[in-house]
Amino acid sequence: MKLGNPSAIIGALQSLRIASSAATRSLRAPIYSRPSTFTAPQATQYARAFSTTRPALGSWLEPSLNRKKKMAKGRPRVPTGGSTKGTTVIWGDYGLRMTDHHRRISAKHLKMAEDTIKVRLRGQKYRLYKRKCCNVGVYVSGNEMRMGKGKGSFDHWATRMSISQILFEIRGRIHEQVVRDAFRLAGNKLPGQWEFVKKGDAPVVGITKLDGVTLEELKRPRRQIAPPELIEASSPTSVTEPGSKADASRPEASQ
């Protein structure tokens, strides 16, 4: 076999190209460049609805505190100067508030109350807020049993609950009567007496509800103070008349 012109063969090989058809172009996957900044709708799209990982700083029933560090028994801080802190619903629409007396509630009671609410509201769309945290360690010796010296071993976590404070709050697409029933069942699991409150209800100072009464009126003294003119007129003067008992009691007058 006799070959032809070599330059013609090389030119024919170089002219061979694989043409990209329309079908091949359509099979290519489009390449999207991820933006560096997200807008508000895009940020909520990539955010997770919930997390199954355990919180690093503990939970509201068992904080990440040192159990070996002894803690005093203490008492709940009941403000006597006229404070309404923690007595109104802030984040939710309905709340559960204590009405009788301050006490210390264990984490076991709080867990039972939380589980009762979740069982009653199963299938509903809501969010439960916990206003308290069990950050008080209860030890056996010195609390329940008094045997020997020393503080004793750790027993359980607890929280100090003052009077008229909110413990649970609920917000969501849920009927009021259903929330009332859930809070009633939760109150039966907790020590003490509890009441159902709604957002916008009057705050409480001690056991007095500020319903139509302001905090300034409550702090005002009950005894009515006389006007300044009457106080000045009734005040005793330093000038004494001659012949009076005050003048006779002076040593100069006796001489």
Side-chain angles (χ1 to χ4, degrees), residues 39 49 57 68 93 138 147 181 183 189 199 203 208 210 212 223 238 240-241:
T39 58
L57 299 178
K68 296 183 180 180
D93 299 328
V138 180
M147 298 177 61
D181 190 27
F183 281 162
K189 303 293 183 180
K199 190 171 186 177
T208 305
L210 300 182
R223 186 181 62 181
S238 60
T240 58
E241 297 179 358

Side-chain angles (χ1 to χ4, degrees), residues 64-89:
S64 59
L65 299 178
N66 186 12
R67 294 185 176 184
K68 296 183 180 180
K69 184 179 179 181
K70 309 304 180 183
M71 302 179 186
K73 185 175 181 180
R75 290 187 178 182
R77 296 181 180 179
V78 181
T80 58
S83 176
T84 59
K85 183 179 180 180
T87 61
T88 56
V89 180

Side-chain angles (χ1 to χ4, degrees), residues 244-251 253-254:
S244 61
K245 295 181 179 180
D247 192 12
S249 62
R250 294 181 180 179
S254 61

Side-chain angles (χ1 to χ4, degrees), residues 118-134:
K118 290 182 178 180
V119 169
R120 179 61 183 86
L121 303 181
R122 182 176 297 170
Q124 305 288 339
K125 294 183 179 180
Y126 68 95
R127 183 171 182 178
L128 182 64
Y129 297 92
K130 281 84 70 174
R131 296 283 297 269
K132 284 293 179 178
C133 177
C134 295

Side-chain angles (χ1 to χ4, degrees), residues 87-89 92-100 117 120-121 127-128 161 164-172 174-188 190 192-204 209:
T87 61
T88 56
V89 180
D93 299 328
Y94 311 102
L96 184 65
R97 182 165 60 187
M98 177 181 282
T99 59
D100 59 342
I117 294 175
R120 179 61 183 86
L121 303 181
R127 183 171 182 178
L128 182 64
M161 192 75 187
S164 302
Q165 283 191 346
I166 302 291
L167 179 60
F168 292 115
E169 293 185 14
I170 283 183
R171 182 186 67 180
I174 187 170
H175 198 271
E176 178 182 346
Q177 294 300 126
V178 180
V179 181
R180 283 181 179 270
D181 190 27
F183 281 162
R184 178 186 61 83
L185 297 174
N188 296 336
L190 295 170
Q193 298 179 4
W194 305 81
E195 67 174 351
F196 176 82
V197 293
K198 296 187 293 185
K199 190 171 186 177
D201 287 356
V204 184
K209 295 184 179 181

